[in-house]
Amino acid sequence: MRFKTKLLFLLVFLAYFTVAVQAQVTIGSGIEPMRGALLDLKVNQSAGTISSVDDDANITSGKGDGGMLLPRVKLVNVKTLEPFIPVDDPEFVNNTNSLKERLAGLIVYNLNNDDDKELYFGLNQWDGEKWNGLQSKPSNALFDIGCASVQVVGQYGDNVALNSSNYIRVSVTVKRIGAYSISTSFTPGNTLGDNGYFFELAGTFHSTGTFMVTISGTGQPKKHTQGTNLLDPSDDTPDQLILTSSGGGADCGVSLNVRSTAARPEFLINCAATVVEGMYFEDQPLSNTPNPVNNQSHRIKVTLTGIPSSAYGAVGVLQTNEVDGFSFKGEAALSSSTQEIYLQGTGIPRGLNDKIFTITSNSETSNASCNATVHMLIPRKRLMVLGEDDGLDAAYGYSPARNTDRNPKNSFNTLLTDKDNFGYNQWSILKFAGFNNAGAGRDANIIPHTPDTWPDDNRDIIGLEMPAWRNMSPETLESYLKGTNGHRKADVFMIAYTGSQGADYADYLRNGNSEDQARCQKLIDFVKTGGILMICSEQSVSNGNFMRLLFGYSSIGSANGAGAGSNYTLGYNSYNTPTDMRPYYCNDADPILMGPFDNLLGRNWGEDASVTTYVTGLPLDEIIIYSGSRPMNETTGRDEGRGVTIFRHREYPFVFVGDGGFNSSEQRYYQNAASSFCPFQLAPKTINGRIYPNYPNFRINFPDSGKRVYNTAFTANAFAWCILQAEEYRRAHK
C-alpha cells in the first residue's frame, strides 16, 4: 500500500511537473495536446494530430467514450453568481466587482428556465457582469389583443378551402418584446362544434407599441351556418370562436358566418350602366352618409344581368383596386335576373387627377371586369363681385353676382351656377363644388350698402353695388379678401362694371380719392399674395390709375377705342398687329384661350354697345396679350396698334378685359339676329349624348350676317382658370 501510495504521489508530481513545464495538458491520451489548446480531451491515440485532419482520422472520442460533462446548476439571478457564491458571502460582499470580473468566462449548464428572470435553460457563460444563455430561446412577449378591433376578412363557404383572402385583422399592444402566438379555437358551445378551420399566427415582436397583425386562416368549413332563408341573415347561426394568445391578455370572441355554397354566384356586369355617386374631395374621408348637397354618399352603382334562377341565394361580391388612397367594395345576395349592387367607398383620396378603378367580381359566369372613373372635385370657392347698381345689371346681367328671373335664364350668373358647367356632376365641364346663389331672388347675392356692419353668412357669392364699395372701409375689404375677423376669405374678386350711369360711377379709382385708392391697393395686395382678380371695365381713367398702381409704372395710360359692334381677334391679327408686338401675344396652348369650354385661338370677340378701353405703356414682358387695340377692320390709329384690350399677368393671377359690357346679355336667345350689343350668349349643346342647357355659346351675326363672337366661351374658360389657380394656391399652402 505504501508503494502504491508513493507511486500515485510520483505520478501526480510528474503530471504537475509536466503542466508546469508545458503549460498545456492532454487528458485521455499520452500524446501532446494540439498546438493552441491549453486543455485537449481525447482518447483516440492516433487522432488529433496536425497531419490527421481528414474524415474519421480527426475523431478524438469514439464508441464507449464520451464528452465533457459540465457542472449542472440552478441559477438564481442573471446578475449574481448564486448558488455557488451566495450574495451575502463576505468574500463576495467585500470584493463584488473584482470577483465578478475574475470569473468572466465561467461556463455552467443551467437547469432553471425562467423567462421573467431572463434565465435560459442550457449552457450559460458569465461575462463578468451577467449570465448569457449560449443556446437561449427568446422570452415570450407580453401583449394584449384589442378585441374591439377584430375584423374577419374574406368570404367563407361550406366545403370551400380557406386561402390568402381569408384572415383576421386585429390590433395588439406589445408591452415586452419576444416570441408570440395567436390562434383560434371553437367555443365549447359552438353549434357545429369544430367546423374544420382555424386561424393561427406565430412569430417574434421586436419592439413595443400597438400594431395591426394579420392572422391567416387554414382549413375548410364543413357546414354552412346560414338559416333556411338564404337572402335574410336574421336566422343565421354564425360560428363562435375564441381568439387566444400567449401574451397574457384577455381572450376575444369572434363571430363568423359560413355561407351556403349550394347556389353559385353567376352573373354579368353591364358596364355601360355603371354610375359613380358622391362628391369627392382631396383629403376628405369617404363616407356612407349622403351629402346634403346632392343627397349621395360615396359609392358606385353596378348593374348585374344574366343571373340564372339557380344562382338565387348566392352572394355576389364586387370590389375595386385601391387608387390614391381609396377603394370600393359591395356584396348582395342574388335574387333576380337583373340586380343593382352598390359598392361603398372607403379611404381618403389624394390628388385632383381623375381616378380610374377596375371593378372585379366573384362571378363564375365571366371574368370580365369594368372600369369606373371618379372625378375629383375642386373644393368650394368664394366669389366677390363689384358690379353696377340694380338698373343695368338687372337688364343686361354684367355681374355674375346678379341672379336672373329670365326664361330662359340667359345670364352671366346662369353660366357660373349651372352645375353642368361648373359643378359636382360626374359630367360637369369643370369638376367643382360649384357656386350657389344665396337665394332665388334676383338680388339674393347683393349685400347691403353698409358692408362694414354686414355679418358674413358664409355664402358663395358676395355682390357689391357701387354704394357698398364706397361705404366699405379698406380694413373691412381686407378682412373679406384675407378671411380675418370672422369672415370667410374670398378666392376670386371681380370688377364687372361699365360706369355708364354717369361719370360719378367711375370714381372707384380717381386721382385724389384716397379711400378708393386705398381699397384698390388692398386688391393689388390680394392678387400679389395668391388671390385671383378679374376686371371687366371700360372706364379709361379708372383703368389707367389701377394699372399704374399694379405695375408701378407712371407711363401707363388708358384710352377709349372702337365703338359698338366692333370685332377683335383673340391672338394677334396679322392684318393689323405691329410685327414687334406679335411675340407678346398668346399663340400657343394657353389655359384660357384653349380652356375646357372651347378652343378660342384665332377666333373673335365682340364689343358691346358703348366703347372698349385699351391700355398703353404696359411692360410687355410681364403680360400675355390676348387682344390688341385695333378692331379687325382697322389698320391705322389706336396708338398705332400698340394698345392692349385683353391680357393676363405672367406672374400674378390677374385677367383684364377692357369692356364692361363684355358679358352683357339680352333677355331672350338672340343668337341669329344681327345686333351691335349684348355679345354674351348661352344655348343648349349636346356633348356625348348629354344636353347642357346653358352652355357658353358663340353669338352669330354680330353685328353683320355670318360673323361669330366668342365672348361667353372666353369668360367661361377664364373663370375655369381662376378657379384652378385658386385651388393650386390652396394646395400649395394647405
Side-chain angles (χ1 to χ4, degrees):
M1 290 295 294
R2 286 183 182 177
F3 175 77
K4 290 182 179 180
T5 301
K6 289 181 179 180
L7 179 60
L8 178 61
F9 174 81
L10 178 61
L11 291 174
V12 171
F13 174 79
L14 290 175
Y16 173 80
F17 180 79
T18 302
V19 171
V21 172
Q22 294 184 356
Q24 292 177 287
V25 176
T26 297
I27 297 178
S29 73
I31 65 175
E32 294 182 358
M34 286 291 295
R35 183 178 178 182
L38 291 176
L39 178 63
D40 194 352
L41 304 180
K42 54 189 172 186
V43 296
N44 190 334
Q45 300 294 322
S46 64
T49 64
I50 295 178
S51 60
S52 57
V53 295
D54 297 327
D55 301 323
D56 294 340
N58 195 38
I59 297 175
T60 60
S61 178
K63 184 177 180 181
D65 300 323
M68 181 175 66
L69 184 61
L70 292 176
R72 296 177 296 281
V73 299
K74 284 190 174 183
L75 296 178
V76 176
N77 189 298
V78 72
K79 290 190 176 183
T80 71
L81 292 164
E82 299 175 278
F84 34 87
I85 301 182
V87 293
D88 57 355
D89 186 286
E91 184 179 2
F92 182 80
V93 173
N94 297 329
N95 302 281
T96 298
N97 293 334
S98 176
L99 184 59
K100 283 184 175 182
E101 292 172 1
R102 290 202 308 272
L103 287 174
L106 181 65
I107 297 176
V108 299
Y109 193 91
N110 178 38
L111 299 175
N112 181 20
N113 190 66
D114 192 327
D115 288 336
D116 292 334
K117 293 183 178 181
E118 299 183 21
L119 292 173
Y120 305 126
F121 193 84
L123 293 177
N124 277 252
Q125 180 192 48
W126 178 258
D127 64 6
E129 183 177 325
K130 66 180 186 304
W131 291 103
N132 295 294
L134 300 183
Q135 55 193 56
S136 65
K137 64 179 180 64
S139 62
N140 288 329
L142 184 64
F143 62 96
D144 293 322
I145 301 176
C147 294
S149 69
V150 172
Q151 304 172 31
V152 178
V153 180
Q155 301 298 317
Y156 299 82
D158 54 336
N159 300 311
V160 178
L162 273 59
N163 55 40
S164 59
S165 67
N166 301 105
Y167 54 88
I168 292 175
R169 289 273 288 168
V170 65
S171 69
V172 294
T173 301
V174 180
K175 303 173 183 177
R176 186 183 69 202
I177 64 174
Y180 72 90
S181 63
I182 306 174
S183 61
T184 62
S185 60
F186 290 93
T187 64
N190 188 57
T191 303
L192 300 178
D194 183 344
N195 201 13
Y197 63 96
F198 60 93
F199 299 83
E200 187 175 46
L201 177 67
T204 302
F205 289 129
H206 296 286
S207 61
T208 59
T210 300
F211 314 98
M212 292 295 295
V213 297
T214 299
I215 309 169
S216 300
T218 304
Q220 179 174 301
K222 301 173 184 177
K223 297 181 180 180
H224 67 81
T225 60
Q226 284 184 302
T228 56
N229 188 338
L230 298 181
L231 301 182
D232 186 356
S234 62
D235 64 345
D236 294 347
T237 309
D239 278 335
Q240 302 300 320
L241 300 94
I242 301 174
L243 189 64
T244 60
S245 76
S246 61
D251 297 338
C252 299
V254 178
S255 178
L256 194 155
N257 201 24
V258 180
R259 295 188 173 94
S260 170
T261 58
R264 300 289 183 178
E266 299 180 47
F267 55 86
L268 299 172
I269 303 176
N270 183 358
C271 295
T274 300
V275 178
V276 176
E277 298 183 356
M279 299 169 64
Y280 298 81
F281 298 98
E282 184 180 29
D283 298 331
Q284 293 189 15
L286 272 55
S287 171
N288 58 5
T289 301
N291 188 309
V293 175
N294 63 357
N295 198 34
Q296 293 180 353
S297 65
H298 299 106
R299 62 184 188 176
I300 300 176
K301 183 176 72 174
V302 179
T303 300
L304 308 183
T305 61
I307 305 173
S309 58
S310 60
Y312 293 177
V315 176
V317 181
L318 290 87
Q319 61 186 1
T320 72
N321 54 321
E322 181 176 308
V323 179
D324 290 344
F326 65 112
S327 60
F328 299 83
K329 185 175 182 179
E331 60 182 68
L334 305 178
S335 58
S336 62
S337 60
T338 299
Q339 187 170 336
E340 293 177 349
I341 290 184
Y342 287 91
L343 282 60
Q344 186 62 50
T346 57
I348 303 176
R350 301 187 304 268
L352 289 178
N353 57 299
D354 289 347
K355 319 295 184 186
I356 301 177
F357 292 88
T358 300
I359 302 173
T360 57
S361 74
N362 68 338
S363 172
E364 297 185 0
T365 302
S366 172
N367 292 324
S369 62
C370 291
N371 288 338
T373 301
V374 172
H375 299 289
M376 299 297 296
L377 298 180
I378 296 173
R380 185 182 177 200
K381 306 298 179 196
R382 168 171 271 190
L383 170 63
M384 194 171 188
V385 184
L386 171 60
E388 299 280 1
D389 284 0
D390 186 26
L392 286 177
D393 260 355
Y396 299 106
Y398 302 112
S399 169
R402 188 77 67 180
N403 203 348
T404 181
D405 52 8
R406 296 173 177 177
N407 187 19
K409 297 171 70 68
N410 186 40
S411 76
F412 194 170
N413 179 272
T414 304
L415 168 70
L416 294 186
T417 57
D418 189 317
K419 300 304 182 290
D420 289 342
N421 297 330
F422 297 86
Y424 44 73
N425 298 324
Q426 291 293 307
W427 57 87
S428 299
I429 302 300
L430 184 72
K431 307 301 187 298
F432 170 46
F435 290 120
N436 297 289
N437 291 317
R442 188 185 65 186
D443 299 331
N445 298 318
I446 309 301
I447 67 172
H449 290 174
T450 54
D452 283 10
T453 59
W454 177 71
D456 194 332
D457 57 8
N458 199 32
R459 63 179 60 192
D460 287 349
I461 303 174
I462 296 178
L464 301 175
E465 293 181 323
M466 186 51 60
W469 172 264
R470 287 176 169 176
N471 294 333
M472 178 179 282
S473 67
E475 292 73 25
T476 297
L477 175 61
E478 183 177 45
S479 70
Y480 279 109
L481 296 175
K482 294 184 176 181
T484 59
N485 298 328
H487 299 303
R488 174 183 153 208
K489 71 180 290 291
D491 298 287
V492 182
F493 190 97
M494 182 177 188
I495 296 176
Y497 177 85
T498 68
S500 57
Q501 287 179 307
D504 188 45
Y505 279 76
D507 260 350
Y508 70 88
L509 191 57
R510 292 267 186 207
N511 283 328
N513 190 329
S514 59
E515 282 261 324
D516 283 329
Q517 293 212 24
R519 283 189 287 270
C520 283
Q521 186 59 54
K522 297 299 184 184
L523 290 181
I524 291 170
D525 295 341
F526 170 67
V527 77
K528 287 186 175 181
T529 55
I532 317 301
L533 179 62
M534 185 172 180
I535 293 180
C536 292
S537 171
E538 60 197 45
Q539 285 296 325
S540 59
V541 175
S542 305
N543 290 341
N545 288 334
F546 189 89
M547 298 303 168
R548 285 191 289 274
L549 275 176
L550 175 63
F551 289 95
Y553 292 94
S554 60
S555 59
I556 294 177
S558 184
N560 289 334
S566 298
N567 282 200
Y568 295 79
T569 302
L570 291 167
Y572 73 77
N573 187 334
S574 58
Y575 176 69
N576 61 16
T577 304
T579 303
D580 65 325
M581 291 282 290
R582 295 177 187 180
Y584 301 101
Y585 278 73
C586 174
N587 59 359
D588 55 10
D590 181 83
I592 293 181
L593 288 195
M594 299 183 71
F597 289 90
D598 209 339
N599 182 352
L600 304 176
L601 188 62
R603 289 180 169 173
N604 303 329
W605 67 275
E607 158 61 38
D608 189 30
S610 53
V611 294
T612 292
T613 294
Y614 62 85
V615 185
T616 61
L618 290 168
L620 299 180
D621 59 342
E622 296 183 27
I623 64 174
I624 295 174
I625 304 174
Y626 292 124
S627 184
S629 57
R630 286 175 174 167
M632 293 176 60
N633 60 342
E634 290 187 2
T635 58
T636 62
R638 310 294 180 201
D639 199 46
E640 299 304 321
R642 309 189 72 81
V644 178
T645 53
I646 305 178
F647 73 89
R648 71 177 170 92
H649 201 286
R650 287 186 180 272
E651 180 181 0
Y652 306 128
F654 168 53
V655 179
F656 172 80
V657 177
D659 181 14
F662 190 85
N663 298 300
S664 64
S665 59
E666 293 191 77
Q667 185 165 349
R668 60 192 179 281
Y669 288 130
Y670 207 55
Q671 181 181 3
N672 296 315
S675 176
S676 60
F677 58 93
C678 294
F680 184 95
Q681 179 68 45
L682 298 176
K685 184 175 182 177
T686 300
I687 302 175
N688 297 327
R690 182 177 297 278
I691 298 176
Y692 291 72
N694 297 298
Y695 200 82
N697 199 27
F698 54 82
R699 175 73 186 272
I700 201 169
N701 297 336
F702 190 90
D704 303 319
S705 177
K707 289 186 177 179
R708 294 181 177 183
V709 292
Y710 290 82
N711 295 40
T712 319
F714 180 91
T715 296
N717 283 350
F719 252 89
W721 177 83
C722 289
I723 293 168
L724 289 168
Q725 289 291 300
E727 177 59 13
E728 183 177 315
Y729 182 83
R730 181 199 70 83
R731 297 186 78 240
H733 295 82
K734 67 179 180 180

